[in-house]
Amino acid sequence: MVEKIRNIAVLTSGGDAPGMNAAIRAVVRACSYHDLECTGIFRGFQGLIEADFEPLDARSVRNIINRGGTFLKSTRSKEFQTKEGRQKAYDNLKANNVDALIVIGGDGTFTGGQLFSKEFGFPVVGIPATIDNDINGTDFTLGYDTALNTVVEAIDKIRDTASSHNRLFLVEVMGRDAGDIALNSGIGAGAEEILIPEENLGVERLLDSLRKSKKTGKTSSIIVVAEGDKSGKNIFELASFIEENLDEYEVRVSVLGHIQRGGSPSCFDRVLASKLGVGAVEALMNGKTEIMVGIHHQKVVNVDLLTAIKGEAKIDKELRRVADITSV
Amino acid sequence: MVEKIRNIAVLTSGGDAPGMNAAIRAVVRACSYHDLECTGIFRGFQGLIEADFEPLDARSVRNIINRGGTFLKSTRSKEFQTKEGRQKAYDNLKANNVDALIVIGGDGTFTGGQLFSKEFGFPVVGIPATIDNDINGTDFTLGYDTALNTVVEAIDKIRDTASSHNRLFLVEVMGRDAGDIALNSGIGAGAEEILIPEENLGVERLLDSLRKSKKTGKTSSIIVVAEGDKSGKNIFELASFIEENLDEYEVRVSVLGHIQRGGSPSCFDRVLASKLGVGAVEALMNGKTEIMVGIHHQKVVNVDLLTAIKGEAKIDKELRRVADITSV
Amino acid sequence: MVEKIRNIAVLTSGGDAPGMNAAIRAVVRACSYHDLECTGIFRGFQGLIEADFEPLDARSVRNIINRGGTFLKSTRSKEFQTKEGRQKAYDNLKANNVDALIVIGGDGTFTGGQLFSKEFGFPVVGIPATIDNDINGTDFTLGYDTALNTVVEAIDKIRDTASSHNRLFLVEVMGRDAGDIALNSGIGAGAEEILIPEENLGVERLLDSLRKSKKTGKTSSIIVVAEGDKSGKNIFELASFIEENLDEYEVRVSVLGHIQRGGSPSCFDRVLASKLGVGAVEALMNGKTEIMVGIHHQKVVNVDLLTAIKGEAKIDKELRRVADITSV
Amino acid sequence: MVEKIRNIAVLTSGGDAPGMNAAIRAVVRACSYHDLECTGIFRGFQGLIEADFEPLDARSVRNIINRGGTFLKSTRSKEFQTKEGRQKAYDNLKANNVDALIVIGGDGTFTGGQLFSKEFGFPVVGIPATIDNDINGTDFTLGYDTALNTVVEAIDKIRDTASSHNRLFLVEVMGRDAGDIALNSGIGAGAEEILIPEENLGVERLLDSLRKSKKTGKTSSIIVVAEGDKSGKNIFELASFIEENLDEYEVRVSVLGHIQRGGSPSCFDRVLASKLGVGAVEALMNGKTEIMVGIHHQKVVNVDLLTAIKGEAKIDKELRRVADITSV
């Protein structure tokens, strides 16, 4: 039986994502609104083990809604993967009179949170935050919308050069297992081709498509490639391969890398973070545990943590079709 | 009976919105993909009357997906409000072998398009594009997401000054009849108060809230005010009123104005424009007319134009609650 | 005789400007580098009077170089204008073993600093920070370059609408006494006309110019107007006047206002702040007082505070000529 | 003897840089202002050989001042390196009644232009445009200021992640032979270390510095590395080397790459482009040839092309000192 919640702790874990600060702020403000105490845990699960705690009130989180990253910081914790580590974490929470825990992060974070909750019967609610948008049961994860904007702004810059020089650019974007970033940013940036891990389109088809583009009068091209693309070739190899087989093009590679994780969150991510932060606190108040608060059809929903982490990348076929049509 | 479509014309009308160019591009590319001709009409309905036409092919729309405004331009046309004007428009379309028309804009645009379609039995499909998000039957209109980002970026800048000086800022945002921009950007910008036209919260309540804020340690404040707010006072009067009644605060006013309509569209708006542009062409190919293609639960949907323009502003009560909670 | 400096205090005063935080950071880091103590004074001269002090070390200023505004905050202090107020300030500095003071701000700040230094023989060095670029003896003030970028980005957005609708926009920018922002941002934004306070060009000449523009095929226009422009008309009156006299144009007004003071500083302003912050500390170490550290021909220079505040707006005639030529 | 100039051609060549479009615009407008004809040459020297010409008037260059890249496009031309190629170029110019040529680019562009001018006695003036700022006789080249802003904005994003995770980031910026970008953007981004090609600081010194940083409480670090840095190690090797020798840090690499060349030019670059474009036209009108128009102490100056291309990278020692001081 879940007792009355009086003090909620919050932590961020895993890769950082824009909107994490906004989500922490919403959690803290919702606690304040509902007359609950709120405890900030620094450095994720490791901070839980080391009791790196700090009480947070409404003023602690002012002027952070617009900041990328997470002021609570995030680390990986091997110790939390051990029973002893988790026991220490539990003892620290109890010693500090914390009644429930909100974990903000991706599937690794949720796996840890779910295990901890089950093991100690401790209420845990997750908030999905990862630029990869690879969590089951929520239409969007925090940071994804911002990352898309960062990618299209970067490719807009690259297009200036591409069209000035009649060049072909291969641009690598994040998304090891999910092509959502590549597919959406590729459409948004007006890419001529988008290579994603869910498909194995083959390099021959790519060459054909580029040859056809050239004939229809395209003089420059941007190809967006997801990190984990199954073309069977690393992006630098792919560039060499194209140059060898299509001598009309000078090929250049740009790996966008870590800039995709940072930056001030978009309005969409800030509002989503506000909704989910409030939703997480209220879910705990309503006795919920081992769930994630997600967004579905613009409403906050509760999803079992075990369901959330079973995310399986599925390519949006209609979106792929739109990509193909708008890049003719 | 609708005949086979061979040539689709496209125009933009009413206030411009980021994403209009991306939508035109998607219409043109979809025509090209489906082996249809595409005719661009400059200056909206007025250009229809004056036969300001230009054939567009896939290459005509390169490098425009990232541009604000509309390269087809937009004007108001009094002449199109007359039967004679519309007859000229119809004759021009026929003379140029155009079989169907896509109109990109807001409710005024749809009203004109619907009337024209009914009058001449000419196939017309609308694409919703207005930063105000005040069209019925679509979750989002083109330009709305971009405008929200523009507003929060502007308020982020103002907050630098507000928090440096312990000042109170009143920031006016667009949305004469709909508080969507104010409510979402207000949450996104971390505003302390949000005044929207759908509510009449009263200035006394505002004063109370500001007094309370001051007591909880807030030293600076941002209040977002929608253009048409029913507080009963113009924003400059409101500023004077607050200064007279709360001497703890220096009050400043910022009217964001026209910057909200411009700027490079967000990835969200570019992808939405691509989906709707393709959807509009394919709706016409499927014999649809007098409908708008909108987005609902992330899917393209068809909505009667008459339904679309009956948009009635409804405040999202849950969002208002989130705003109240996160601004404590 | 100036004694050996062991502890330097720093404050910001007057209107905030992007780069103030970067300058504070450089002062603190330079103190740390030279083994001096550094004392932060909150809320400008008022904080000096109220002993609102805090020791700052190299770590206190991490992650602030990119932030607009000033974390030391800034207020106006009437009390500092009295002999009693300044005496309290002096006593507080002495009580806290502070040996010298760096004041970051504009001419009001320098006037206060100069008076204080003279009165008590207390070493004071100024760093010019104001978006208006109206300080004598320095080629650039902190915040000016950033403000120019903010203005051109805003006008780029407005131009999207202007060129979509064939409209005339009047855009008011800051610069009550100095047209530097208007002239430079006007050229940068490709404005058709620039109205600045140093000139009285007359509205008749403006009408002529607009009529001529129309004839050469211009369909939209941006006119940049400095706040204190001597056209003899407020910007809203000016808009009405133009509409009455030129019926070819729909005229719109946009007052950019406070967004111009905020935002993350440009690289130029961050580097300038770093140079001036280091320069100010080292000037004090070398026994300098009652001077401002400025930048001239890319080198840090020392200028008497009395000279610095005698800034007289002089229009750059060559730049005005470039504006006229590039707007044909 | 130089005859009266009636028609000036303009081309862009080499790597593109933000501000090239603004410079073309200023050249065209200055020609229009002085009643000269202006001929645009597409694709640089190759277009000169292929007579890829188009007359440009004041309206041809509207709405381009804010665009990155170059609408005249730029290519490398091997043919122009042959006497025959240059003869064809000369014949084309004569056949089109062009009297003088403005070349916009870097040292390769100037070398070609100088040779051509000498060979045929044809008036040529250069405008320096390259993000590397490696041209002799001008304080700034077009695109450099914009590139610095692009780099600091990218590193600001990376810092969000760095400080969320206590990580060390190596960020590679452009500047094969000149460390100007690295030094200025490194100061601007608050980098802890800056490695530039002009110095061989040694990796041991770097390790010492990082160890010291750790002790003073730094938990995250950004190191900016110029492409051609003489540390003797490629950036990825350098990362491995640091990880092996300092186990306190997780090290990540980010190669900013091509995004540095693109983007909307800063106000500084737009104004500089306007000055230099006007200056180039007027230099030709005054009978100048084989010179570059540069900027020195904020004034337009004329510099022999041969002098301009003898640029030798010199590290600004004072700036290096500021970097060392502000990164303590």
Side-chain angles (χ1 to χ4, degrees):
Chain A
M1 199 206 87
V2 183
E3 294 168 52
K4 188 162 162 33
I5 304 285
R6 283 192 195 82
N7 184 338
I8 294 176
V10 58
L11 63 79
T12 51
S13 172
D16 63 312
M20 280 185 160
N21 277 326
I24 299 166
R25 174 182 179 271
V27 166
V28 174
R29 295 273 169 100
C31 285
S32 184
Y33 183 87
H34 290 298
D35 283 320
L36 307 175
E37 283 178 84
C38 187
T39 300
I41 296 166
F42 286 84
R43 294 179 301 119
F45 292 123
Q46 192 57 34
L48 209 53
I49 293 171
E50 299 177 15
D52 196 353
F53 295 0
E54 196 173 286
L56 300 174
D57 67 17
R59 294 290 75 72
S60 315
V61 290
R62 76 172 124 197
N63 295 337
I64 68 164
I65 195 170
N66 58 333
R67 304 255 170 88
T70 159
F71 87 97
L72 289 180
K73 291 173 186 284
S74 176
T75 47
R76 292 188 201 150
S77 170
K78 286 194 182 161
E79 205 177 342
F80 195 74
Q81 291 172 28
T82 67
K83 178 78 208 238
E84 293 71 29
R86 293 192 295 272
Q87 182 69 50
K88 276 192 218 169
Y90 178 75
D91 295 344
N92 287 332
L93 287 169
K94 280 296 170 189
N96 284 272
N97 296 314
V98 175
D99 306 310
L101 176 64
I102 292 173
V103 297
I104 304 174
D107 54 5
T109 307
F110 289 176
T111 305
Q114 198 275 335
L115 182 60
F116 181 77
S117 177
K118 175 139 269 108
E119 221 163 39
F120 298 96
F122 197 87
V124 172
V125 165
I127 295 177
T130 160
I131 63 165
D132 290 336
N133 205 30
D134 57 354
I135 298 294
N136 221 11
T138 186
D139 295 343
F140 302 104
T141 56
L142 288 179
Y144 172 64
D145 183 67
T146 304
L148 291 182
N149 284 330
T150 301
V151 171
V152 298
E153 282 166 26
I155 301 183
D156 286 350
K157 288 188 169 64
I158 291 171
R159 187 172 288 280
D160 287 339
T161 292
S163 59
S164 297
H165 288 279
N166 297 346
R167 276 187 188 151
L168 178 67
F169 270 90
L170 303 182
V171 181
E172 187 186 287
V173 303
M174 284 189 170
R176 197 168 302 282
D177 306 304
D180 271 15
I181 291 181
L183 196 49
N184 279 276
S185 69
I187 291 175
E192 278 70 25
E193 283 286 333
I194 302 165
L195 305 180
I196 56 177
E198 292 87 347
E199 299 174 324
N200 190 341
L201 297 170
V203 288
E204 280 308 327
R205 199 200 56 82
L206 177 64
L207 292 184
D208 279 352
S209 157
L210 289 171
R211 283 191 196 102
K212 213 182 296 173
S213 283
K214 196 81 189 181
K215 276 187 204 144
T216 69
K218 289 215 176 182
T219 53
S220 63
S221 284
I222 305 279
I223 301 179
V224 168
V225 184
E227 269 179 312
D229 163 62
K230 283 181 187 153
S231 73
K233 293 183 182 292
N234 175 281
I235 192 164
F236 288 98
E237 283 176 54
L238 185 61
S240 305
F241 180 81
I242 294 171
E243 278 204 325
E244 281 159 25
N245 286 277
L246 292 177
D247 40 72
E248 304 93 321
Y249 282 108
E250 271 187 276
V251 187
R252 292 286 181 278
V253 169
S254 182
V255 176
L256 293 187
H258 294 277
I259 60 168
Q260 295 167 84
R261 290 203 180 283
S264 183
S266 67
C267 186
F268 182 95
D269 274 330
R270 298 183 193 192
V271 173
L272 179 57
S274 301
K275 286 177 175 176
L276 297 182
V278 170
V281 168
E282 297 184 345
L284 285 168
M285 290 172 71
N286 294 329
K288 294 283 185 354
T289 183
E290 287 179 53
I291 57 122
M292 166 190 82
V293 286
I295 196 87
H296 185 55
H297 293 169
Q298 297 171 255
K299 300 235 170 301
V300 173
V301 293
N302 294 338
V303 181
D304 277 354
L305 278 176
L306 285 175
T307 307
I309 59 191
K310 270 184 197 144
E312 209 174 296
K314 272 165 306 191
I315 162 178
D316 179 339
K317 294 221 166 129
E318 181 55 23
L319 203 56
R320 161 49 85 184
R321 208 176 70 86
V322 167
D324 291 340
I325 292 173
T326 56
S327 61
V328 294
Chain B
M1 198 206 89
V2 182
E3 294 168 50
K4 189 164 161 32
I5 305 283
R6 284 193 193 80
N7 185 337
I8 294 176
V10 58
L11 63 79
T12 50
S13 172
D16 63 312
M20 280 184 160
N21 277 325
I24 298 167
R25 174 183 179 270
V27 166
V28 174
R29 294 274 169 99
C31 285
S32 182
Y33 183 87
H34 289 300
D35 283 321
L36 307 175
E37 283 178 83
C38 188
T39 300
I41 297 166
F42 286 84
R43 296 179 300 118
F45 291 123
Q46 191 59 33
L48 208 54
I49 293 171
E50 299 177 14
D52 196 354
F53 293 1
E54 196 173 286
L56 300 174
D57 68 15
R59 294 291 74 71
S60 316
V61 290
R62 77 173 123 197
N63 295 337
I64 66 164
I65 196 171
N66 58 332
R67 304 255 170 89
T70 160
F71 87 98
L72 288 180
K73 291 172 187 283
S74 177
T75 46
R76 291 187 202 151
S77 171
K78 285 194 182 163
E79 205 177 340
F80 195 74
Q81 290 173 28
T82 67
K83 178 80 210 237
E84 293 71 29
R86 293 192 295 273
Q87 182 68 50
K88 277 192 216 169
Y90 179 74
D91 295 344
N92 287 333
L93 288 169
K94 279 296 170 192
N96 283 272
N97 297 313
V98 174
D99 305 312
L101 176 64
I102 292 172
V103 297
I104 305 173
D107 53 5
T109 307
F110 289 177
T111 305
Q114 199 274 335
L115 181 60
F116 181 77
S117 177
K118 175 139 270 103
E119 221 163 39
F120 298 97
F122 196 86
V124 172
V125 165
I127 295 177
T130 160
I131 62 166
D132 290 334
N133 205 31
D134 57 355
I135 299 294
N136 221 10
T138 186
D139 294 344
F140 302 103
T141 56
L142 289 179
Y144 172 64
D145 184 67
T146 304
L148 291 181
N149 284 329
T150 301
V151 170
V152 298
E153 282 166 26
I155 301 184
D156 286 352
K157 287 188 170 63
I158 291 172
R159 186 172 290 281
D160 287 340
T161 293
S163 58
S164 296
H165 288 280
N166 297 346
R167 276 187 189 152
L168 177 67
F169 269 90
L170 303 183
V171 182
E172 187 188 286
V173 303
M174 285 188 170
R176 198 168 301 281
D177 305 305
D180 271 14
I181 292 181
L183 196 49
N184 279 275
S185 69
I187 292 175
E192 278 70 25
E193 282 286 332
I194 303 166
L195 305 181
I196 56 177
E198 291 88 347
E199 299 174 323
N200 191 341
L201 296 170
V203 288
E204 280 306 328
R205 200 200 56 82
L206 177 63
L207 292 184
D208 278 352
S209 158
L210 289 172
R211 285 190 195 104
K212 214 183 294 174
S213 284
K214 196 81 188 182
K215 276 187 203 146
T216 70
K218 289 216 175 181
T219 53
S220 63
S221 284
I222 305 279
I223 301 179
V224 168
V225 183
E227 270 180 309
D229 163 61
K230 284 183 188 151
S231 72
K233 293 181 181 293
N234 173 282
I235 192 164
F236 288 98
E237 283 176 55
L238 186 60
S240 305
F241 180 81
I242 295 171
E243 278 203 325
E244 280 158 26
N245 285 276
L246 292 177
D247 40 71
E248 304 93 321
Y249 281 108
E250 270 187 278
V251 187
R252 292 286 181 279
V253 169
S254 182
V255 176
L256 294 187
H258 294 278
I259 60 168
Q260 295 168 83
R261 291 205 179 282
S264 183
S266 67
C267 186
F268 182 95
D269 273 329
R270 298 183 193 191
V271 173
L272 179 58
S274 301
K275 287 177 174 176
L276 296 183
V278 170
V281 169
E282 297 184 344
L284 285 168
M285 291 173 69
N286 293 330
K288 294 283 186 354
T289 183
E290 287 180 51
I291 57 122
M292 166 190 83
V293 286
I295 195 87
H296 184 55
H297 294 168
Q298 296 170 256
K299 300 239 171 298
V300 173
V301 292
N302 294 339
V303 181
D304 276 355
L305 277 177
L306 285 175
T307 308
I309 59 190
K310 270 186 197 141
E312 210 175 295
K314 273 166 305 189
I315 162 178
D316 179 338
K317 294 221 167 127
E318 181 55 22
L319 203 56
R320 160 50 86 184
R321 207 176 70 87
V322 167
D324 291 339
I325 292 174
T326 56
S327 62
V328 293
Chain C
M1 202 206 87
V2 183
E3 295 170 49
K4 189 162 163 30
I5 305 284
R6 283 192 194 81
N7 184 337
I8 294 177
V10 58
L11 62 81
T12 50
S13 172
D16 63 313
M20 279 184 160
N21 277 326
I24 298 167
R25 173 182 180 270
V27 166
V28 174
R29 295 273 168 102
C31 285
S32 183
Y33 183 87
H34 290 300
D35 284 321
L36 306 176
E37 284 177 80
C38 188
T39 301
I41 297 167
F42 287 83
R43 296 181 299 118
F45 291 123
Q46 191 60 32
L48 207 53
I49 292 171
E50 300 176 14
D52 196 353
F53 295 0
E54 195 173 287
L56 300 174
D57 68 16
R59 294 292 74 73
S60 316
V61 290
R62 76 172 125 197
N63 295 337
I64 67 165
I65 196 170
N66 58 334
R67 304 253 172 90
T70 159
F71 87 96
L72 289 180
K73 293 172 185 281
S74 177
T75 46
R76 291 188 201 149
S77 170
K78 284 193 183 162
E79 204 177 343
F80 195 74
Q81 290 172 29
T82 66
K83 179 75 209 239
E84 293 69 32
R86 292 191 298 272
Q87 183 69 48
K88 277 193 218 167
Y90 178 76
D91 295 344
N92 287 333
L93 288 169
K94 279 298 171 188
N96 283 273
N97 296 314
V98 175
D99 306 310
L101 176 65
I102 292 172
V103 296
I104 305 174
D107 54 4
T109 307
F110 290 177
T111 303
Q114 199 273 337
L115 181 60
F116 182 77
S117 178
K118 176 139 269 107
E119 222 163 39
F120 298 97
F122 197 86
V124 172
V125 164
I127 294 177
T130 160
I131 63 166
D132 290 335
N133 205 30
D134 59 354
I135 298 294
N136 222 11
T138 187
D139 295 344
F140 302 103
T141 56
L142 289 178
Y144 172 63
D145 183 68
T146 303
L148 291 182
N149 284 330
T150 300
V151 171
V152 298
E153 282 166 27
I155 301 183
D156 285 351
K157 288 189 169 65
I158 291 171
R159 186 172 290 280
D160 287 339
T161 292
S163 58
S164 296
H165 289 280
N166 297 346
R167 276 184 189 156
L168 177 67
F169 269 91
L170 303 183
V171 181
E172 186 186 286
V173 303
M174 283 189 171
R176 197 168 302 281
D177 305 305
D180 271 15
I181 291 181
L183 196 49
N184 279 275
S185 69
I187 292 175
E192 278 69 25
E193 283 286 333
I194 302 165
L195 305 181
I196 57 177
E198 292 87 346
E199 298 175 325
N200 190 341
L201 297 170
V203 288
E204 280 307 328
R205 200 199 58 79
L206 176 64
L207 292 184
D208 279 352
S209 158
L210 288 172
R211 285 191 194 103
K212 214 183 295 174
S213 284
K214 196 81 188 181
K215 278 187 203 149
T216 69
K218 289 215 174 181
T219 52
S220 63
S221 284
I222 305 279
I223 301 179
V224 169
V225 183
E227 270 179 310
D229 163 62
K230 284 183 188 149
S231 71
K233 292 180 183 294
N234 173 282
I235 192 163
F236 288 98
E237 284 176 52
L238 186 60
S240 306
F241 180 81
I242 294 172
E243 279 204 324
E244 281 158 25
N245 286 276
L246 291 178
D247 41 71
E248 303 94 322
Y249 282 108
E250 271 187 276
V251 187
R252 292 288 180 278
V253 169
S254 182
V255 176
L256 294 187
H258 294 279
I259 60 168
Q260 296 168 81
R261 291 205 179 280
S264 184
S266 67
C267 187
F268 182 95
D269 274 330
R270 298 183 193 192
V271 172
L272 179 57
S274 301
K275 287 177 174 176
L276 297 182
V278 170
V281 169
E282 297 184 345
L284 286 168
M285 292 172 70
N286 292 327
K288 295 282 185 355
T289 183
E290 287 180 51
I291 57 122
M292 165 190 84
V293 286
I295 196 85
H296 185 53
H297 294 168
Q298 297 171 257
K299 300 236 169 303
V300 174
V301 292
N302 294 339
V303 181
D304 277 355
L305 278 177
L306 285 176
T307 308
I309 58 191
K310 272 186 195 140
E312 211 174 295
K314 274 166 305 190
I315 159 178
D316 179 339
K317 295 220 166 130
E318 181 54 23
L319 203 57
R320 160 50 84 184
R321 208 175 69 87
V322 167
D324 291 340
I325 292 174
T326 55
S327 61
V328 294
Chain D
M1 201 207 86
V2 182
E3 296 169 50
K4 189 163 163 29
I5 306 284
R6 284 192 195 80
N7 184 337
I8 294 176
V10 58
L11 63 79
T12 51
S13 171
D16 64 312
M20 279 184 160
N21 277 325
I24 298 166
R25 173 181 179 272
V27 165
V28 174
R29 296 272 168 103
C31 284
S32 182
Y33 183 87
H34 290 299
D35 284 320
L36 306 177
E37 284 178 82
C38 188
T39 300
I41 298 167
F42 286 84
R43 295 180 300 118
F45 291 123
Q46 191 58 33
L48 207 54
I49 292 172
E50 299 176 15
D52 195 354
F53 295 0
E54 195 173 287
L56 300 174
D57 68 15
R59 293 292 75 72
S60 318
V61 290
R62 75 173 125 196
N63 294 338
I64 67 165
I65 196 170
N66 59 332
R67 304 253 171 89
T70 159
F71 86 97
L72 289 180
K73 293 175 185 281
S74 176
T75 47
R76 290 188 203 150
S77 171
K78 284 194 182 162
E79 205 177 342
F80 195 74
Q81 289 172 29
T82 67
K83 180 76 208 238
E84 293 71 30
R86 292 191 297 272
Q87 183 68 50
K88 276 193 219 168
Y90 178 75
D91 295 345
N92 287 334
L93 288 170
K94 279 297 171 190
N96 283 273
N97 296 314
V98 175
D99 305 311
L101 177 64
I102 292 172
V103 297
I104 304 174
D107 55 5
T109 306
F110 290 176
T111 304
Q114 198 274 335
L115 182 60
F116 181 76
S117 176
K118 176 140 268 103
E119 223 163 36
F120 299 96
F122 196 86
V124 172
V125 164
I127 294 176
T130 160
I131 62 165
D132 290 335
N133 205 29
D134 58 354
I135 299 293
N136 222 10
T138 188
D139 294 345
F140 302 103
T141 56
L142 289 179
Y144 172 63
D145 183 67
T146 303
L148 291 182
N149 284 330
T150 301
V151 171
V152 298
E153 282 166 26
I155 302 183
D156 285 351
K157 288 189 169 66
I158 291 171
R159 186 172 289 280
D160 286 341
T161 292
S163 59
S164 297
H165 289 280
N166 297 347
R167 276 185 189 156
L168 177 67
F169 270 89
L170 302 183
V171 182
E172 187 187 286
V173 301
M174 285 190 169
R176 197 167 302 281
D177 305 305
D180 270 15
I181 291 181
L183 196 48
N184 279 275
S185 69
I187 292 175
E192 277 70 24
E193 282 286 332
I194 302 165
L195 304 181
I196 57 177
E198 292 87 347
E199 297 174 326
N200 190 341
L201 295 170
V203 288
E204 280 307 328
R205 199 200 57 80
L206 177 64
L207 293 183
D208 279 352
S209 157
L210 289 171
R211 284 189 196 104
K212 213 182 296 173
S213 284
K214 196 81 188 181
K215 276 186 203 150
T216 69
K218 289 214 175 182
T219 52
S220 63
S221 283
I222 305 279
I223 301 179
V224 168
V225 183
E227 271 179 311
D229 163 62
K230 283 182 187 149
S231 73
K233 292 181 183 292
N234 172 283
I235 193 163
F236 288 98
E237 285 176 53
L238 185 61
S240 305
F241 181 81
I242 294 171
E243 279 203 324
E244 282 158 25
N245 286 276
L246 291 178
D247 40 71
E248 304 92 322
Y249 283 107
E250 270 187 277
V251 187
R252 293 287 182 276
V253 169
S254 183
V255 176
L256 294 187
H258 294 278
I259 59 168
Q260 296 168 82
R261 290 205 179 281
S264 183
S266 66
C267 187
F268 183 95
D269 274 330
R270 298 182 193 193
V271 172
L272 180 57
S274 301
K275 286 177 174 176
L276 296 182
V278 170
V281 168
E282 298 185 344
L284 285 168
M285 291 173 71
N286 292 328
K288 294 284 185 354
T289 184
E290 287 181 50
I291 58 122
M292 165 189 84
V293 285
I295 195 87
H296 185 54
H297 293 168
Q298 296 171 256
K299 300 235 170 303
V300 173
V301 292
N302 293 339
V303 181
D304 277 355
L305 278 177
L306 285 175
T307 307
I309 58 192
K310 271 185 195 140
E312 210 175 294
K314 273 168 305 192
I315 160 179
D316 178 339
K317 294 220 165 130
E318 181 55 23
L319 204 57
R320 161 49 86 185
R321 208 175 69 86
V322 168
D324 291 340
I325 292 174
T326 54
S327 62
V328 293

